[in-house]
Every structure is written in C-alpha cells, then in structure tokens.
Amino acid sequence: MRRRACQPPRIRLAVPAGEAAPEVDEAQGPQPGPRILALHLPDLSTEVLRAPGPLLAWRMEGNRRLVVAADPAARALGVLPGQALGDAQALAPTVAAHPEAPDAAAARLLELALWALRIAPLVAPDPPDGVLVNIAGIEALSGGEARTMRRAVAGLARLGHTARAAVAGTAAAAMALARGGQEVAVPAGLEAAALADLPLHHLRLEVGTIVGLRRLGLHRIGDVLAQPRAPLARRFGADLSLALARATGAAAEPFRSIRPPPERQVALEFEEPLITRAAIDHAVEHLLVRLCAGLAEEGRGLRRLVLRAHRADGGVQEQAIGTGTASRDPAHLLRLLAPRLERLEPGFGFDGIALMAEATEPLAAAQSGLQGAGLDGGDAEAALAALLDRVAQRLPAWRLRPRESHWPERAVERVNPLAAVAPPQNWSARPRPLRLLRRPERLEAVAVLPDDPPFRIRWRGEWVAVRAAEGPERLEAEWWRDRPDRPVRDYYQLEVPDGRRLWVCRAGGPGSARWFLHGLLP
C-alpha cells in the first residue's frame, strides 16, 4: 500500500555503527497525528555575524538606526531590540555594532533545516528564526519526544546556535511555546491550555491586531481564546480566527517540507565520523542491503535513490541516482552510486548517512533486479537496462519519441530510453534529418524563380553550387498552437558537390524570405 504524502514514511533509526537498529512497521498500528518539534533560534541574527561578542545587529528604519538583535552578552549590558543605535552605544560602548545580515540568516536557516533532516524526514524552515520537524511516528525509535528535544538542542549547540525546543500537535502551538521558552511536550488536544498564559506576540500576529487586542484588555492567548470568535473576526479579520484555529488544532495547517517524504528510508549515525572512502563505501553497502531487503518485503523496486551525508560540521551533501527500470539489487545500485560517492567531500568526516527511496514501483520476485556481471545473456532487456543505468550516471540518456506534429522542432520529444515508442501513422512519410541543428544556420540563396530551389547558396562565408535539389515542401503554422501571423516555411533538399545533403528552409513568402540550414539529411 502506498503512503499518503502527509504521513511520515517508515523509518529505520539512525544508530551508532555496530548497534542493531530497531524498526517500526506501520502494520503495528494506525499512524499517529502530527507531532511537531519546533526549534526556535533566538540569537540567529547575531550568530550569523560570526564576530566576537558582545555585539548587536541594527538596520535602518526611515532615517533611524534601530537595534534589531543583541546577543546574550549585549542584553546583559542593557541592550535590547527596538532601541535606537545611538542610545544602545551610549549605554554599552563596548558592544560591537554590525549591520543586520538577513540574507546570511536566511541561508543559515535553510542549512539548519537540512541538518534537521537527520531527526526526521519532514522538515520545514519557519522564517525568520525557526525550524519545524514532524516527528510523528519516531518516538519508539528515538527514545521519546523529550529525548528528541534534548538531542536537537544539543546538536544545534555543537553547531554554535542557541535553541529552544517544544513539541505539540500543531506547528503554531509548538513554535509559540518554543518562543516563550517553555521547553515542553504538549499532549495532542491540550494545545489551548498550554498556550493560555503566553503573550499574544508569540503567535506572530500582525502588530495592529496585537495593539487592538491589548486595548480591549486581551493580553494573553488564553484571553483571546475565551472570547467568541464571530465578534473578533468582524473586528480584526479572518486572519486572527485562522491563527487561533491553527494553533489549537481546530484547522489544519499545511506542512511544506524542504524535501519530499521518501517512501522508505534507512540511516546510520556514527560515534566517530567517517573520512576514508573505504569506510563510506562499507556504510553505504550496509544501508543498501537493508533498504533492498525492506523493498523486497513490499514487492517494490527502486526508481530514484537519494544519498544524504551529514558532515560533523553540520553541512549536508546529497547525491541521487535513477534507474531505467525498477531494481532492488544492492550490487547493481552500489555500482551506480560509486561515481556519485567520488563527489562527496567529507571534510572532518560524516557522522550520519541516510538512503532514501524517493520513487519506487511494483517489482515481482521473478524480476528482482539486475545481477551485474551475472546477467543471463539471453535477457537482452535486462542487460540493456543495466547498461543504460550505468551510462546515465555520467551522461544524459534518452530516446526520441514521435509526436503528432508536422512542425520539425515539435515532431519528437525526449523520453526515458526504455520507454515504448509507437510512431504515429505516416509519421516518416517524408525524409527528415536524423537530427536538427540546435541553432539553424543563416544562409543566402539564389534561385531563378521565387518558388524554385536555389542553384547557389552562401554557407559559412562561401558560395556553394547546388548539384541537385528537390522541393519545396510547404509547412503551414499549426493554428491550434501558433500565433496567426507565424510565417510559413518551405523546405528544400539540396545536394552540394562534396556529396552532403542539406535540409534548407525558407521562412516567409517570396520577397521577404530568410533562408536557414535546419539539418543534414542521411
């Protein structure tokens, strides 16, 4: 049974080398609802500046320079966001002032979201300073939600980032709790009670909405939740009602993961980072065997495989391969991955490697894959598939399939090299070049009469006599696709003295025509 995109895939826990990895099968019970781990990075704006503290970040607002962020050391000296830069420097002259770097912060947030893929396969950045992770279904693998939070915060600390974590059944509630410093795991359905004491700005409402609610004496989220929704919606708009409904779980909120959920994933983490190619190959081979064994249980084969390697310094590298036909033979897949592994840059080493089956197809046991050098010589299709899989990892591989169009550049399309091809009726009734020129070459031509074939052409700076000619073959614009004023084309087959046969096009009518070389005939 195929998983729905909104459900987390089956996961193999990332464990240190040498330990057995527990497995969870979704047949053991129904899939749980969303459980969102929110990671709030309160000092991201100053951490990306990579300067010794104490420091602050400022930006221009109108003609004023305002403090937008301060690191813990600067805050201890009394510097707070919202202050005028001059006031902050007068209060704490030892604090270094740097212009805000929003692009650097956004890029770093994306890097940290990629890093968080080692926690669970569904991760979404929550700009400007948050990361959301859907950890539903991994509690038994990770030791529980509390342990997952601790590991995530400790991992970010090793990368030089202060983080606060919280878990809830909705993304808005989890992030609000994390922003409020309440590092808790809220049971599903209790989000409203957990949010009751938090200030309104933790829900990231518009400033005007927060000011209006405070004028009404509503200072906390619980105060607003206790009010009838209809009057609030009439006064503050539907956005407030939607934010409250999403925070409490009354309305669903889309989770836009930075990577599509894999159909199956296996992963390993290592106490000592892997640096050598031999160690990386051994780990990948071990993961491939486990992945293919799981696919065999489901009767499926790989069409797209992604390798994700996590570096000890927090960097993430990905390599992907595709297969022409479904396969679950570890030896064949390892040969396809070998050139990709050469592109990996371990640096100080990889402390985690994962393999994701992003696309699979049904594969019967009798078709259980390709056996490399041991292929049966009579199985021509399997042998061709194995060859094309290996070629496609280094060079583009495709075949051309005819299309229902008489316009030359639309007459064929690229398809999978193993795809079935059925030419339309009368598709090759007239001679055509084996391959059209990517950019038609401009010509000059001389003919006796306007519609006669040319007897001389100027090609690549030289005049060439035409020994034989045939044509014209007129092609009209396709009215259901083209604009009405698209010029007609007249094609001629020309033979020059050195024996080459040219497929020449005249675009436009007599007197306004332009000549082009469109291809070489066989």
Side-chain angles (χ1 to χ4, degrees):
M1 180 179 67
R2 301 295 297 274
R3 296 179 183 82
R4 296 180 181 177
C6 60
Q7 295 291 346
R10 185 180 306 177
I11 304 299
R12 301 306 194 257
L13 175 62
V15 298
E19 296 185 13
E23 299 182 359
V24 169
D25 195 314
E26 58 186 12
Q28 295 176 358
Q31 289 290 334
R35 295 295 293 166
I36 307 300
L37 166 64
L39 298 171
H40 177 229
L41 306 164
D43 299 322
L44 181 64
S45 296
T46 54
E47 288 165 346
V48 298
L49 298 176
R50 301 190 182 279
L55 58 88
L56 61 84
W58 60 271
R59 68 163 172 249
M60 292 293 299
E61 291 191 5
N63 59 354
R64 302 179 62 199
R65 296 183 179 183
L66 296 181
V67 176
V68 294
D71 69 356
R75 292 197 296 270
L77 296 175
V79 177
L80 297 174
Q83 289 178 333
L85 178 60
D87 295 341
Q89 289 179 318
L91 179 66
T94 59
V95 175
H98 298 268
E100 183 187 25
D103 293 341
R108 184 56 178 166
L109 186 64
L110 180 59
E111 292 174 358
L112 294 177
L114 291 172
W115 170 87
L117 287 168
R118 67 191 308 160
I119 303 173
L122 295 178
V123 176
D126 187 27
D129 54 8
V131 175
L132 301 171
V133 187
N134 189 342
I135 60 172
I138 72 167
E139 297 86 352
L141 305 173
S142 59
E145 293 176 347
R147 185 169 183 267
T148 301
M149 286 193 297
R150 291 194 299 270
R151 289 184 61 190
V153 172
L156 289 169
R158 287 193 295 272
L159 299 179
H161 294 282
T162 301
R164 300 169 182 166
V167 175
T170 68
M175 186 54 71
L177 291 166
R179 289 172 62 86
Q182 300 188 20
E183 299 189 359
V184 296
V186 178
L190 300 181
E191 287 81 12
L195 294 170
D197 293 332
L198 292 179
L200 294 173
H201 64 269
H202 288 324
L203 278 183
R204 293 183 177 175
L205 301 174
E206 293 184 1
V207 175
T209 300
I210 294 176
V211 172
L213 290 170
R214 286 175 177 171
R215 288 174 179 170
L216 297 177
L218 307 176
H219 298 277
R220 301 191 178 277
I221 297 176
D223 299 337
V224 181
L225 290 174
Q227 305 303 314
R229 297 295 173 84
L232 290 176
R234 285 195 299 269
R235 181 159 185 172
F236 298 102
D239 289 345
L240 174 60
S241 298
L242 180 60
L244 296 174
R246 286 179 169 177
T248 58
E253 183 175 5
F255 191 93
R256 298 179 176 88
S257 178
I258 57 173
R259 293 290 185 271
E263 298 187 26
R264 177 174 283 270
Q265 172 175 325
V266 293
L268 285 174
E269 287 189 354
F270 313 101
E271 294 180 354
E272 294 294 332
L274 305 184
I275 298 178
T276 65
R277 174 64 188 273
I280 296 171
D281 287 349
H282 179 74
V284 171
E285 182 178 6
H286 175 70
L287 289 172
L288 276 173
V289 170
R290 288 172 51 192
L291 180 63
C292 292
L295 290 171
E297 294 176 2
E298 297 178 347
R300 305 191 69 81
L302 273 170
R303 288 300 306 274
R304 176 175 169 80
L305 175 69
V306 176
L307 180 147
R308 182 178 298 132
H310 295 269
R311 293 198 345 177
D313 61 2
V316 178
Q317 299 177 28
E318 293 181 332
Q319 298 292 334
I321 61 170
T323 60
T325 58
S327 173
R328 56 171 179 260
D329 176 32
H332 176 62
L333 295 172
L334 185 60
R335 283 193 295 272
L336 300 182
L337 269 176
R340 306 288 181 173
L341 296 179
E342 296 175 0
R343 305 178 185 178
L344 295 177
E345 299 177 359
F348 292 105
F350 295 120
D351 60 1
I353 296 179
L355 293 181
M356 283 74 63
E358 287 197 348
T360 65
E361 288 182 355
L363 181 63
Q367 305 167 345
S368 59
L370 309 172
Q371 303 300 324
L375 282 170
D376 183 356
D379 192 354
E381 182 178 352
L384 178 61
L387 174 62
L388 289 174
D389 283 346
R390 300 186 67 178
V391 169
Q393 305 315 310
R394 297 182 181 271
L395 299 170
W398 71 87
R399 72 184 304 180
L400 296 177
R401 180 170 63 190
R403 299 175 61 193
E404 293 280 1
S405 176
H406 61 262
W407 216 245
E409 54 266 35
R410 297 175 183 154
V412 293
E413 62 182 344
R414 292 185 183 184
V415 295
N416 185 293
L418 295 175
V421 171
Q425 186 177 6
N426 299 326
W427 182 81
S428 59
R430 294 182 177 273
R432 291 288 186 266
L434 293 178
R435 189 171 184 180
L436 298 176
L437 298 181
R438 183 181 296 274
R439 292 178 178 270
E441 298 182 20
R442 186 69 182 270
L443 302 175
E444 296 180 32
V446 179
V448 176
L449 296 175
D451 285 336
D452 281 358
F455 62 86
R456 292 183 67 195
I457 60 172
R458 185 179 176 84
W459 178 30
R460 296 176 181 175
E462 296 183 3
W463 284 100
V464 180
V466 176
R467 189 167 65 182
E470 181 179 344
E473 175 191 353
R474 171 155 292 189
L475 298 182
E476 298 281 353
E478 297 176 331
W479 57 266
W480 59 96
R481 287 195 183 104
D482 297 319
R483 62 183 187 274
D485 59 341
R486 184 164 190 174
V488 299
R489 293 183 188 174
D490 291 324
Y491 280 90
Y492 297 86
Q493 303 172 45
L494 309 182
E495 183 176 322
V496 295
D498 62 6
R500 284 181 291 183
R501 302 179 66 233
L502 313 180
W503 203 46
V504 172
C505 162
R506 183 182 67 191
S512 62
R514 294 180 299 166
W515 292 83
F516 298 92
L517 173 64
H518 210 170
L520 301 177
L521 293 165

